[in-house]
Amino acid sequence: GFAIKTTGYPYVGFEEILRDAENDENATVVILDHLEDPQNVGSILRSACAVGVTGVIIPEDRACGITPAAVRASAGGSEYIKVAHVVNLPRAIKELKEAGFWVTALDFGEDARNYTDIDFSGRSALVVGAEGDGVSRLVRENCDFIASLPMPGGFESLNAGVATAVALYEI
């Protein structure tokens, strides 16, 4: 019989992600706008780790944190990617923009452009909206671009984890 005591997920400060991006002119940050499904969060962490994302930002409230289910779904990605909790996503986006990031939200609408038509060179932040609700109004208003994935097959959208992976590989 063994017993083990563990601590919670080791979130980093938002400032640490900004510091890491300072020396990388092609830094990429993923922002999760109130995602609630730990499977999506874990999948996104895995994809972010696979492509070398600098860090992931999630809100402290009304969102899935890095739970045991998200860790399991990340298949190890959660162990290698830095994740920061922030109180206010629009404020974090403004700070990223001040640090030289261009911010793109994955969403739909008349102002959305095909994701392959956006120039992702330089520092990029990718915003992924909540399942069902998409990107929140205040977050969307602070983005530089709105990107959509073409859906010629008759579906309206992809799973958040899959859509993020597609966009990250384009970036």
Side-chain angles (χ1 to χ4, degrees), residues 42-53 74 77 161-162 164-166 168-169:
S43 174
I44 291 168
L45 293 178
R46 183 177 187 176
S47 296
C49 185
V51 302
V53 163
S74 78
V162 172
T164 303
V166 169
L168 284 176
Y169 273 96

Side-chain angles (χ1 to χ4, degrees), residues 32-104:
L32 304 183
D33 185 7
H34 297 95
L35 268 71
E36 296 176 349
D37 182 353
Q39 299 299 318
N40 277 330
V41 172
S43 174
I44 291 168
L45 293 178
R46 183 177 187 176
S47 296
C49 185
V51 302
V53 163
T54 305
V56 176
I57 300 166
I58 61 175
E60 286 185 6
D61 297 322
R62 297 178 290 118
C64 178
I66 310 305
T67 64
V71 168
R72 223 176 2 267
S74 78
S78 64
E79 302 301 318
Y80 299 99
I81 192 89
K82 292 181 179 181
V83 180
H85 260 151
V86 297
V87 174
N88 186 304
L89 285 179
R91 187 178 316 132
I93 289 171
K94 287 178 184 175
E95 289 184 46
L96 285 167
K97 290 168 86 169
E98 289 169 3
F101 280 81
W102 290 94
V103 182
T104 302

Side-chain angles (χ1 to χ4, degrees), residues 5-171:
K5 181 179 180 180
T6 62
T7 60
Y9 184 80
Y11 294 98
V12 301
F14 177 59
E15 301 76 26
E16 185 173 336
I17 291 175
L18 285 175
R19 255 191 327 275
D20 289 350
E22 278 179 15
N23 299 321
D24 184 357
E25 63 187 37
N26 293 308
T28 303
V29 171
V30 175
I31 302 167
L32 304 183
D33 185 7
H34 297 95
L35 268 71
E36 296 176 349
D37 182 353
Q39 299 299 318
N40 277 330
V41 172
S43 174
I44 291 168
L45 293 178
R46 183 177 187 176
S47 296
C49 185
V51 302
V53 163
T54 305
V56 176
I57 300 166
I58 61 175
E60 286 185 6
D61 297 322
R62 297 178 290 118
C64 178
I66 310 305
T67 64
V71 168
R72 223 176 2 267
S74 78
S78 64
E79 302 301 318
Y80 299 99
I81 192 89
K82 292 181 179 181
V83 180
H85 260 151
V86 297
V87 174
N88 186 304
L89 285 179
R91 187 178 316 132
I93 289 171
K94 287 178 184 175
E95 289 184 46
L96 285 167
K97 290 168 86 169
E98 289 169 3
F101 280 81
W102 290 94
V103 182
T104 302
L106 279 179
D107 211 353
F108 59 91
E110 290 183 18
D111 57 343
R113 297 167 42 189
N114 188 313
Y115 77 110
T116 59
D117 293 339
I118 295 173
D119 180 4
F120 289 108
S121 59
R123 292 186 179 109
S124 294
L126 180 69
V127 178
V128 182
E131 304 90 347
D133 293 332
V135 177
S136 62
R137 182 185 58 80
L138 287 175
V139 167
R140 185 181 174 111
E141 288 173 0
N142 282 283
C143 292
D144 299 300
F145 306 104
I146 307 300
S148 66
L149 302 174
M151 296 287 158
F155 285 96
E156 288 185 10
S157 67
L158 291 172
N159 168 288
V162 172
T164 303
V166 169
L168 284 176
Y169 273 96
E170 179 68 18
I171 294 170

